[in-house]
């Protein structure tokens, strides 16, 4: 096996545990409280690390990406084991569990971005789009299985079983990541002054690459998306009972997997066209998932909403990986992520509050409007002859 194969295998193994974990914790919080606001708070804490990811970029670009990837996986593995023990001893209060979401999320920021920045260094540009497509397709297929059985595992074996499974997947992922061959270029010591300079340099590159026109509108869409994510357990519970949450997510994963499979076939379609059309269709499907009262119709349209977004996300991610200088890729990527997700914790809290005061449908409708707004904004920019995203591979940095 080649390094890219080990990286891919490790990512897919880790994905199974992560998928179970991400679904289980939100379902568990809602099941324990039946309170959309508490679920919104938990979702907000889960999203907060993405906002802080900008501070991780300089460290990932400076230090050995393979060691960072391995180290964070090992720490997460130990945390999963610790939380399992606390559950078995009945020593895991809900506030402490919710705080653990933040800690694990911060570790995933380092692991995920290190892996993202490592990929272009061990494979060619042609291999990269296929790699990203396989990663997304594999993740979605694995996620569909994980999400379909998640609630059943919790009901029969308890929430601690999810953490045990996650611990095991991290062990196997580490064994795969160890095999990745990557030559790190030493950059000397890393001082506080250098850290500040590194962040400022990343911001300068981010501006020069012109990604702000992609980030700010995406932030608006993500704000409304966070509202629906926080309220989804309550929304699906009203549609079809306690098992509906897993089925709705499985539907989105199945359609998302189909989207990832066809993405390589769409590589010749202008990325700006993909970015413009995708949110409009997703907004339409999300709106329809609330509008249709029938349980299966609602689930179908909710699943369809993932298809155009997956195509857009794969295309955009690959475009950025292949056009941004690798030495600043982590910094540029984390800045983009931080801006796009800056208001998501607030959106999650607002979604939970609206779900408690009014009706879960309100937050889902607002999400669809957010995606419509994003698409219309991109469309208006293109009608004025301006691209949504156009990166020069070698921007001038003064």
């Amino acid at each position: 096996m080649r390094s890219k194969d080990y990286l891919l295998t490790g990512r897919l193994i880790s994905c199974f545990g992560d998928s179970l974990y991400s679904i289980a914790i939100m379902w568990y919080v809602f099941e324990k409280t039946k309170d959309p606001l508490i679920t919104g708070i938990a979702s907000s804490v889960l999203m907060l690390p993405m906002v802080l990811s900008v501070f991780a970029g300089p460290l990932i670009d400076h230090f050995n990406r393979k060691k960072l990837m391995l180290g964070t996986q090992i720490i997460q593995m130990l945390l999963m084991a610790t939380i399992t023990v606390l559950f078995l001893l009945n020593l895991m209060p809900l506030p402490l569990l919710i705080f653990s979401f933040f800690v694990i999320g911060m570790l995933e920021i380092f692991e995920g971005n290190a892996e993202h920045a490592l990929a272009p260094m061990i494979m060619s540009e042609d291999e990269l789009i296929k790699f990203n497509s396989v990663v997304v397709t594999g993740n979605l297929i694995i996620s569909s299985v994980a999400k379909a059985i998640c609630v059943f595992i919790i009901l029969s074996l308890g929430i601690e079983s999810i953490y045990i499974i996650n611990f095991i997947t991290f062990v196997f992922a580490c064994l795969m990541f160890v095999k990745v061959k990557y030559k790190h270029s030493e950059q000397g010591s890393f001082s506080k002054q250098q850290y500040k300079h590194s962040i400022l340099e990343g911001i300068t590159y981010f501006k020069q690459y012109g990604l702000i026109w992609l980030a700010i509108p995406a932030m608006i869409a993500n704000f409304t998306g966070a509202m629906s994510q926080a309220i989804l357990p309550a929304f699906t519970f009203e549609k079809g009972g306690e098992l509906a949450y897993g089925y709705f997510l499985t539907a989105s994963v199945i359609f998302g997997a189909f989207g990832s499979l066809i993405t390589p076939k769409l590589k010749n379609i202008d990325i700006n066209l993909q970015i413009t059309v995708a949110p409009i269709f997703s907004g339409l499907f999300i709106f329809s998932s609330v509008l249709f009262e029938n349980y299966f119709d609602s689930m179908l349209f909710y699943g369809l909403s993932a298809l155009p977004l997956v195509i857009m996300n794969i295309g955009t991610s690959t475009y950025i990986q292949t056009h941004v200088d690798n030495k600043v890729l982590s910094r540029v990527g984390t800045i983009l992520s931080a801006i796009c997700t800056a208001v998501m914790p607030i959106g999650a809290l607002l979604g939970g509050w609206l779900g408690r005061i009014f009706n879960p449908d309100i937050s889902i409708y607002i999400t669809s409007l957010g995606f419509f707004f994003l698409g219309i904004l991109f469309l208006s920019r293109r009608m004025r002859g301006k691209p949504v995203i156009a990166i020069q591979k070698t921007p001038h940095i003064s």
Side-chain angles (χ1 to χ4, degrees), residues 84-305:
T84 300
V85 172
L86 291 175
F87 264 118
L88 293 173
L89 296 176
N90 293 318
L91 297 175
M92 179 53 76
L94 191 60
L96 181 59
L97 179 65
I98 292 176
F99 176 72
S100 75
F101 301 169
F102 173 79
V103 177
I104 293 170
M106 284 302 300
L107 291 169
E108 288 178 349
I109 290 297
F110 279 93
E111 190 274 329
N113 281 284
E115 176 192 317
H116 181 77
L118 179 62
M121 303 186 73
I122 61 174
M123 64 188 79
S124 67
E125 184 172 327
D126 289 337
E127 291 175 317
L128 192 59
I129 188 169
K130 294 179 182 178
F131 177 86
N132 286 338
S133 180
V134 171
V135 166
V136 174
T137 303
N139 282 352
L140 288 169
I141 292 173
I142 291 170
S143 295
S144 66
V145 176
K147 290 171 182 178
I149 65 175
C150 177
V151 176
F152 299 104
I153 292 176
I154 298 174
L155 290 175
S156 58
L157 301 176
I159 185 66
E160 61 273 11
S161 61
I162 301 297
Y163 285 91
I164 294 173
I165 293 172
N166 226 354
F167 170 81
I168 295 171
T169 58
F170 281 144
V171 171
F172 282 100
C174 285
L175 294 175
M176 292 296 104
F177 291 151
V178 166
K179 296 287 188 178
V180 175
K181 293 181 180 179
Y182 155 67
K183 187 176 181 181
H184 175 67
S185 298
E186 293 296 335
Q187 302 181 48
S189 60
F190 193 68
S191 64
K192 182 178 179 181
Q193 183 178 1
Q194 186 178 357
Y195 179 75
K196 291 172 63 177
H197 173 75
S198 184
I199 289 181
L200 292 174
E201 184 184 35
I203 293 173
T204 302
Y205 269 87
F206 180 81
K207 292 178 180 177
Q208 290 288 335
Y209 283 125
L211 290 168
I212 194 69
W213 263 108
L214 179 65
I216 297 299
M219 179 176 70
I220 298 170
N222 284 343
F223 173 79
T224 59
M227 293 176 63
S228 67
Q229 184 175 332
I231 205 66
L232 190 61
F235 171 73
T236 56
F237 182 78
E238 287 192 358
K239 285 287 185 181
E242 62 180 12
L243 297 181
Y245 182 49
Y247 291 135
F248 268 67
L249 289 173
T250 300
S252 69
V253 167
I254 291 172
F255 282 103
F258 177 71
S260 67
L261 285 171
I262 65 174
T263 298
K265 306 293 184 182
L266 307 175
K267 63 181 180 180
N268 293 326
I269 297 178
D270 180 22
I271 185 66
N272 286 277
L273 179 60
Q274 294 183 36
I275 292 173
T276 302
V277 172
I280 295 175
F281 275 97
S282 284
L284 176 64
F285 292 141
I286 293 171
F287 186 88
S288 300
S289 72
V290 191
L291 188 64
F292 284 86
E293 293 293 333
N294 182 274
Y295 172 74
F296 292 103
D297 290 340
S298 178
M299 183 170 60
L300 173 65
F301 281 109
Y302 185 83
L304 278 169
S305 69

